[in-house]
Amino acid sequence: MPHITLGRLPFENLKRKPFRTAALLVIVTMLSATFFGGAMLALNLNAGLDSMQKRLGADLMVVPQNTGAKAEALLTSSTSSTFYFTNDIDSLVSKADGIAQSTVQTYISSLTADCCDEQVQIIGFNPATDFVIEPWITSEYDQTLETGQVIAGANINVSTSGTIKLYDHEFPVAAQLATTGTSLDNSVFVNQETIPRIVGYSAQVGHPAIPEEYADTAVSAVLIKVADGYSAEQVADNITEASGLDGLGYVYPGGITATTKTNLSAIVGYVALFLAAFWVMGVVVLLAVFSSSTNERKREFASLRIMGATRGTLVGLIVKESALLGLIGGLIGIALASLVIFPFSTLIGRQLQLPYLQVGVPTTLGLMAAGLVFAVVTGMIASVASAYRLSKPETYLMLREGE
Amino acid sequence: MKNKLIASLPAIILGALTAIAPQTFAHACAGHDVPGACHYSALAASGVGVVIALLGVASLFVGTRERIGLNIAVVINALLVLAIPTVLIGVCQGAMMHCRMVMLPTLMVLGALTIVFAAIALVMDAKSTNAAATRVR
């Protein structure tokens, strides 16, 4: 018979009642998995939103008629598309009042090229005038992007030789950007001079992205930063008036961010509500189980008192048992939630259709520690009532009650 | 009996899932003209999954010492499940490809869980073998 010390007693008590211990562990595990998983989800969504806000630097996008939805999808989800103006929209737009800065971009959706490659969004931009993509790219690639080179988003499959195949042509990749959690991760960026070449390659493979007569001039969107004192809507009206084009499409990235934020708040709110309800239920169940088991263990506690254990020792025993349950359940719960949250993060982001960016290691470790503390504290809260009752009655009464 | 179930049921269930998942919900990328790495990873993982499930079934009909051996084999096969899509064969490179987004993490999770359960069964069986040896002495 092994010698059991007072320090090992809580562990031995849990071991001697495997069914009760397993049932309590299941509850604590579910609580901590929900807490950690829910909190991680909320943090990743917030990180995604922050990233999206940084990337949507324009106040207004002018796009061709009936392509507003496509342009919005291009900004918010991974849907790639091709659309373009056939006129000189840049000079028409620049006549309007209230424009502080403007730049043009061209969007081309690639073909599904090689085996295991998927459609990517090709974004042509003008490094000289761009104020949306260029500052972000410059933070990671400080050289000039040559004509014919591409900068690849984080999710783009770059070959070991440092190229990407688009329209059966190998483009050298100058740099690959860090993950943003937005649709830009599935995009490649080229300067505007590269666009006619891409159109040429697409024509050679029999799928012209843009008719070749527009290859040099095609522009998909004019991105505008409005001047102080103007609203994006006012500037849109001014553009309609100045250009004389009634059918222009307008996209307001600020509005998209606000909508995303609203959707995100709703999801985070539901997660928090579910977590709170689940936690209350869990604590009630744990309280009930601890209380009933304390009732059943009155003889055991009375015996310990007769052997010299103080009331404080008994209270300590109960609290240690519950803390131990919290610790083990917390570890299992966090491990289980991690098995879903981390390996499937790309899938989760895709299914949510919201910007989703995995937070860094320090934050994750911090949240794991918080999850463990949460599980231990929850276990301890559940034992408070039992501990209080144990600290009250005298040994004789306790022994008699237990008969 | 308890040890027997702990040693065999997880291996049967997780092995069956490892065999089924790459052929169903966690399938390889579709629409290839020429089968890619993910296709062969899916086939190999399914085969190893069948082996794990069969080892689990065998654990139901043998003694404690043999179960220890079978669970060591389960651990080695589970390591293969982890190695097939990562080191040995691989999956498609594109981060948004179905095989990388679904098949790879599913096999990782199933492989990890199989190792954990087999290790628990190993420890339990090793303990009961030691206890039996002590009683005999």
Side-chain angles (χ1 to χ4, degrees):
Chain A
M1 187 74 181
H3 180 66
I4 297 174
T5 61
L6 201 57
R8 272 190 66 83
L9 194 56
F11 181 70
E12 293 297 333
N13 281 340
L14 292 177
K15 221 170 119 183
R16 281 283 301 276
K17 293 277 185 188
F19 185 75
R20 186 176 72 93
T21 305
L24 290 173
L25 271 181
V26 167
I27 296 169
V28 181
T29 298
M30 284 166 68
L31 277 177
S32 59
T34 316
F35 172 82
F36 178 70
M40 202 75 226
L41 194 73
L43 279 180
N44 289 346
L45 284 168
N46 271 321
L49 181 71
D50 281 349
S51 176
M52 182 179 169
Q53 281 172 328
K54 283 179 195 158
R55 307 291 164 247
L56 300 183
D59 299 316
L60 177 65
M61 274 173 82
V62 186
V63 294
Q65 192 172 18
N66 302 326
T67 58
K70 276 185 183 177
E72 281 189 22
L74 192 143
L75 293 175
T76 55
S77 64
S78 304
T79 320
S80 59
S81 47
T82 305
F83 53 87
Y84 50 90
F85 288 100
T86 51
N87 50 5
D88 185 10
I89 187 68
D90 193 23
S91 51
L92 288 172
V93 165
S94 61
K95 291 178 193 166
D97 283 339
I99 297 172
Q101 264 182 299
S102 77
T103 188
V104 294
Q105 288 186 352
T106 307
Y107 307 130
I108 293 175
S109 172
S110 82
L111 286 176
T112 306
D114 268 359
C115 155
C116 307
D117 270 349
E118 57 187 336
Q119 274 192 323
V120 300
Q121 181 69 60
I122 301 164
I123 300 181
F125 70 104
N126 183 348
T129 58
D130 189 273
F131 59 92
V132 182
I133 296 172
E134 182 65 11
W136 167 50
I137 288 180
T138 308
S139 68
E140 303 197 35
Y141 179 68
D142 55 2
Q143 294 166 44
T144 311
L145 183 64
E146 305 283 333
T147 303
Q149 282 185 329
V150 305
I151 291 178
N155 289 343
I156 299 297
N157 173 20
V158 180
S159 74
T160 47
S161 56
T163 59
I164 175 175
K165 200 173 192 180
L166 298 167
Y167 295 113
D168 211 25
H169 180 81
E170 298 280 351
F171 288 82
V173 176
Q176 185 149 28
L177 301 168
T179 309
T180 66
T182 68
S183 58
L184 296 179
D185 291 341
N186 304 312
S187 307
V188 296
F189 305 92
V190 296
N191 66 26
Q192 284 287 356
E193 286 73 44
T194 310
I195 292 291
R197 291 194 191 185
I198 292 174
V199 173
Y201 298 130
S202 69
Q204 280 171 22
V205 295
H207 292 92
I210 293 174
E212 286 201 76
E213 66 261 37
Y214 302 124
D216 293 329
T217 55
V219 160
S220 303
V222 182
L223 285 83
I224 292 162
K225 189 173 265 304
V226 301
D228 289 342
Y230 289 87
S231 70
E233 288 78 4
Q234 276 178 323
V235 175
D237 290 340
N238 292 347
I239 291 169
T240 306
E241 206 175 306
S243 66
L245 299 169
D246 286 336
L248 290 173
Y250 295 104
V251 176
Y252 303 94
I256 295 171
T257 310
T259 310
T260 309
K261 204 169 187 172
T262 310
N263 293 340
L264 192 78
S265 303
I267 290 179
V268 172
Y270 284 129
V271 169
L273 195 69
F274 174 74
L275 188 65
F278 197 61
W279 185 77
V280 170
M281 280 194 298
V283 170
V284 168
V285 173
L286 288 173
L287 264 172
V289 176
F290 268 108
S291 298
S292 66
S293 77
T294 310
N295 259 340
E296 285 169 10
R297 296 169 68 187
K298 275 181 179 164
R299 285 175 74 92
E300 176 193 331
F301 292 133
S303 306
L304 287 171
R305 286 281 279 142
I306 290 163
M307 283 190 276
T310 61
R311 275 182 236 157
T313 310
L314 294 188
V315 171
L317 186 70
I318 286 286
V319 172
K320 276 180 195 165
E321 277 182 29
S322 58
L324 199 59
L325 273 172
L327 185 68
I328 299 169
L331 280 172
I332 300 173
I334 289 170
L336 286 179
S338 301
L339 276 178
V340 177
I341 292 282
F342 301 123
F344 291 98
S345 69
T346 315
L347 182 67
I348 293 169
R350 182 142 180 158
Q351 293 299 332
L352 287 174
Q353 290 286 305
L354 285 167
Y356 184 87
L357 183 61
Q358 183 63 53
V359 292
V361 176
T363 313
T364 305
L365 290 178
L367 194 61
M368 281 179 170
L372 266 187
V373 171
F374 167 82
V376 172
V377 169
T378 301
M380 288 167 77
I381 288 172
S383 68
V384 162
S386 310
Y388 177 74
R389 280 174 59 196
L390 267 181
S391 66
K392 283 272 170 185
E394 288 306 315
T395 315
Y396 172 73
L397 291 174
M398 190 192 267
L399 187 58
R400 290 302 304 265
E401 274 182 49
E403 282 176 352
Chain B
M1 187 61 189
K2 186 183 74 182
N3 281 13
K4 189 173 268 190
L5 289 179
I6 290 174
S8 55
L9 276 186
I12 295 171
I13 295 168
L14 293 168
L17 278 174
T18 307
I20 295 165
Q23 307 305 324
T24 52
F25 65 92
H27 56 80
C29 303
H32 295 167
D33 292 336
V34 181
C38 61
H39 171 77
Y40 295 109
S41 279
L43 287 178
S46 289
V48 178
V50 170
V51 174
I52 291 173
L54 289 177
L55 289 170
V57 173
S59 297
L60 284 171
F61 305 102
V62 294
T64 313
R65 284 175 182 280
E66 291 79 7
R67 259 203 324 266
I68 291 175
L70 288 174
N71 267 305
I72 291 172
V74 168
V75 170
I76 294 168
N77 276 283
L79 287 172
L80 264 181
V81 172
L82 299 179
I84 285 167
T86 51
V87 184
L88 297 177
I89 302 177
V91 289
C92 299
Q93 291 300 311
M96 304 307 281
M97 302 303 292
H98 190 270
C99 67
R100 183 166 278 272
M101 212 164 47
V102 183
M103 189 180 91
L104 176 68
T106 303
L107 290 177
M108 293 291 103
V109 170
L110 288 173
L113 286 176
T114 308
I115 290 171
V116 169
F117 280 106
I120 291 170
L122 267 173
V123 171
M124 288 178 74
D125 277 339
K127 267 189 179 174
S128 66
T129 311
N130 285 343
T134 312
R135 275 201 300 273
V136 169
R137 263 186 246 134

